[in-house]
Amino acid sequence: MEPVRAHITTYGCQMNRLDAELVAERLRASGARVVDDPAEANVLLFVTCSVRAHAEDRAFSNIGALKARKRREPGLVIGLLGCTAQQYGDRLRSRAPLVDVVCAPGRLAELPQLIQAARTNRAAPVVALDPPRGATHTQPDRVGGAEAFAAADAALDEVETRRPLGGPSPGHAFVTVMRGCDNFCAYCVVPNVRGPERSRTPSAVLEEVRRLVGQGARQITLLGQAVNKYASRQDGRTCDLAGLIEKVAETPNLARLRFITNHPRAMTERLAAVFRNVPAVCPYLHMPAQSGSDAVLARMKRAYTASEYIDRVAMVRGVRPEVAVASDFIVGFPGETAEDFEATLDLVRRMRFSHAFVFKYSPRPGTFAAEHYEDDVPMAEKRRRNQVLLDLVRKVAGQENRRFIGRTVNVFVEGPSPHPNLHPEKGTGSFSGRMEKVPVPFSAACRGWLQLRGRTPGNRIVVFDGPADLAGAEVDVEVVDSSPLTLFAHLAQAM
Ligand code: 5AD
Ligand code: SF4
């Protein structure tokens, strides 16, 4: 049998991106090659997302489009991995008949064996699911069941700890600190597909961080669905997220530390204090509000009111005023009235979010909302609210960004800008005319510079011209212009 050449397509959140890295590492360790071009691959893997129907539909339609290729290449193995695998389980076959391997998020460490089994026996799909969890949205208090995940988690930890640095951008790595979720927000499929909350031990997290920093990572983002519920119990003592952050921040050469995603309910004074006490912690807080209406928040089972959300943000900003707060919002949740939506707009005006993701409510099978509430906001109205909210978010973010003009900010350079604009004067760029407004102090293009993209400590996007080898480094830049999503800058010192 010819060796495995796998291609991985990823949908969804940061957690899925990290899962894709783990899949790649696991495959390489088994002797497989991971290729960039799907045409070269004999194994096509899809790390899927079930959070909204849209992401799921995209994966299914991309897999469906492989029909002709599969007929031409009967040996081609198609794997559907991650959240959608667990969501559909054995029923997947009817929705995606081309799929040969179905693998839940917790079972990814077994992937090489699953692929091998699928290649030797082409008769039926190979299915590896996570154990069913004890709790459901009807009995959210029946938590536990984490023990059933222990062996699979240990295997994943092993892969994650061993993987080389090679994440989202040079010098930046994601590290899992918590898996699963026990919150059962009414709209959300995650607790069903990622299992109960399990916190990794501080020593496992520290080992991984030290290793990644030893390989050149300067920026670490700790990941969990509700990361601030982190609690690792060992020898009768509990380490919470603040304790973990303090330990991680002691790693020499670690410059920037972030932790996402935070649940407002679990934001404590102790955690807020890390924004002051731990210099490596970036002034960035991703803490989704989801709605500004108490009635909607209650129906969402978010367990806080809008004013409690405001208090938690105030607590953090009281400790460090420049913290950039980012949120997620769902519009058109069942029963959301015009006044409810107005309350969300008010929250955005008051909170001055630096950024917010806006989603149209999408009923997900197996969730409390899908089973108990009618999806009664018409699609046209969801679209309208989506646009109105996005426009406001951009307006506020644009006003906040303008305050940076004239300031020098430290930027962590991710690499070339995805909308490169080497010769703005010649109009080859795709930055919708923005570049004309950026004074370029010397002829950057002549020196072979690129337009680079980076992030401020508060996670704002900055573009500026500079040498490509700055990727992965930190530099000071002077902000000269801004738009709602981007700061435009030039290097503070000529290089
Ligand atoms: N419909 C729309 N948006 C959703 N999200 C989660 N579930 C749904 C759903 N059923 C959004 C929430 C969450 C983000 C990751 O996705 O805003 O914070
Ligand atoms: Fe979903 Fe709520 Fe858990 Fe976030 S905290 S993953 S929205 S259930």
Side-chain angles (χ1 to χ4, degrees):
M1 216 182 277
E2 57 173 2
V4 167
R5 297 181 306 278
H7 176 268
I8 307 170
T9 307
T10 310
Y11 306 88
C13 65
Q14 313 289 17
M15 203 97 39
N16 272 14
R17 281 170 211 290
L18 180 51
D19 281 350
E21 273 186 61
L22 301 194
V23 164
E25 163 59 21
R26 190 67 196 86
L27 289 172
R28 286 196 193 97
S30 74
R33 260 178 62 209
V34 178
V35 296
D36 290 333
D37 180 3
E40 253 185 68
N42 52 15
V43 175
L44 295 174
L45 301 172
F46 296 84
V47 180
T48 57
C49 169
S50 261
V51 159
R52 284 170 296 276
H54 179 65
E56 213 175 74
D57 293 345
R58 261 175 55 220
F60 282 127
S61 97
N62 289 345
I63 292 173
L66 294 166
K67 199 164 175 183
R69 180 164 172 199
K70 184 105 175 177
R71 219 178 296 125
R72 278 197 316 273
E73 300 171 39
L76 185 72
V77 170
I78 299 177
L80 194 152
L81 324 177
C83 296
T84 309
Q86 181 68 15
Q87 171 81 350
Y88 284 84
D90 291 332
R91 290 173 290 125
L92 240 166
R93 199 62 181 176
S94 57
R95 182 99 196 248
L98 299 178
V99 167
D100 306 290
V101 174
V102 177
C103 179
R107 303 286 294 272
L108 295 174
E110 295 160 49
L111 202 56
Q113 296 90 296
L114 304 176
I115 292 172
Q116 185 56 28
R119 294 177 103 202
T120 43
N121 176 8
R122 313 287 296 151
V126 177
V127 181
L129 297 181
D130 286 334
R133 61 178 301 172
T136 63
H137 64 70
T138 44
Q139 290 175 297
D141 297 334
R142 254 176 66 194
V143 290
E147 316 73 41
F149 286 77
D153 283 349
L156 281 175
D157 277 4
E158 224 257 321
V159 181
E160 184 167 336
T161 306
R162 200 181 52 214
R163 108 203 111 124
L165 179 61
S169 60
H172 179 196
F174 290 118
V175 172
T176 307
V177 302
M178 247 184 120
R179 300 194 171 93
C181 184
D182 287 344
N183 288 319
F184 289 96
C185 299
Y187 49 80
C188 187
V189 84
V190 169
N192 301 346
V193 295
R194 287 205 173 246
E197 285 174 7
R198 293 97 72 199
S199 293
R200 290 176 81 188
T201 61
S203 50
V205 173
L206 279 172
E207 184 190 336
E208 187 174 329
V209 169
R210 285 194 192 120
R211 212 185 126 100
L212 291 163
V213 173
Q215 289 172 17
R218 299 271 296 147
Q219 183 168 215
I220 295 282
T221 302
L222 306 177
L223 287 186
Q225 303 290 351
V227 70
N228 49 343
K229 287 179 77 187
Y230 175 86
S232 173
R233 290 172 194 94
Q234 244 179 345
D235 310 325
R237 296 196 13 220
T238 300
C239 177
D240 63 4
L241 185 64
L244 182 73
I245 286 170
E246 280 160 14
K247 287 190 220 286
V248 168
E250 281 166 16
T251 313
N253 296 323
L254 173 63
R256 290 186 178 190
L257 184 58
R258 295 197 174 92
F259 44 99
I260 56 174
T261 289
N262 291 275
H263 195 293
R265 175 95 188 164
M267 177 49 70
T268 59
E269 266 179 50
R270 221 179 103 72
L271 183 57
V274 303
F275 285 101
R276 178 184 52 220
N277 299 341
V278 184
V281 168
C282 291
Y284 173 72
L285 176 68
H286 182 232
M287 187 163 80
Q290 309 295 4
S291 170
S293 151
D294 290 348
V296 172
L297 287 169
R299 277 204 304 285
M300 286 179 166
K301 297 180 179 288
R302 288 291 287 177
Y304 55 83
T305 61
S307 76
E308 280 165 344
Y309 181 88
I310 292 168
D311 288 348
R312 303 286 154 101
V313 170
M315 184 166 85
V316 173
R317 285 188 171 147
V319 164
R320 195 158 165 197
E322 79 269 27
V323 169
V325 180
S327 179
D328 298 356
F329 288 101
I330 298 177
V331 295
F333 189 74
E336 186 189 64
T337 61
E339 295 79 61
D340 292 325
F341 180 61
E342 201 45 55
T344 297
L345 298 177
D346 268 349
L347 187 71
V348 172
R349 285 186 205 105
R350 282 187 69 170
M351 291 293 92
R352 319 285 314 155
F353 294 109
S354 64
H355 185 67
F357 299 95
V358 180
F359 306 106
K360 296 184 279 296
Y361 171 67
S362 156
R364 306 307 296 136
T367 59
F368 184 89
E371 290 176 7
H372 293 82
Y373 307 141
E374 193 193 336
D375 181 17
D376 58 358
V377 180
M379 187 41 106
E381 182 58 13
K382 282 183 189 168
R383 280 203 201 101
R384 193 191 68 81
R385 291 182 192 176
N386 191 83
Q387 196 53 50
V388 170
L389 181 53
L390 261 185
D391 287 346
L392 178 64
V393 162
R394 292 210 177 115
K395 184 174 152 201
V396 168
Q399 289 165 349
E400 293 300 303
N401 272 356
R402 262 205 294 285
R403 290 156 30 122
F404 283 83
I405 296 176
R407 284 201 225 162
T408 297
V409 292
N410 186 255
V411 173
F412 187 91
V413 186
E414 293 179 342
S417 162
H419 308 283
N421 199 327
L422 253 180
H423 303 286
E425 309 87 343
K426 292 181 191 157
T428 53
S430 54
F431 233 78
S432 40
R434 295 290 317 173
M435 283 305 286
E436 278 107 61
K437 293 183 67 185
V438 181
V440 179
F442 28 69
S443 181
C446 293
R447 301 171 70 167
W449 286 13
L450 299 171
Q451 187 182 71
L452 299 174
R453 187 171 101 152
R455 301 262 177 180
T456 66
N459 219 28
R460 290 181 161 90
I461 294 171
V462 185
V463 299
F464 63 99
D465 290 333
D469 62 7
L470 279 183
E474 291 126 89
V475 285
D476 285 340
V477 299
E478 195 193 327
V479 179
V480 292
D481 199 358
S482 72
S483 74
L485 289 178
T486 312
L487 301 176
F488 301 91
H490 36 240
L491 282 167
Q493 301 116 12
M495 302 193 87

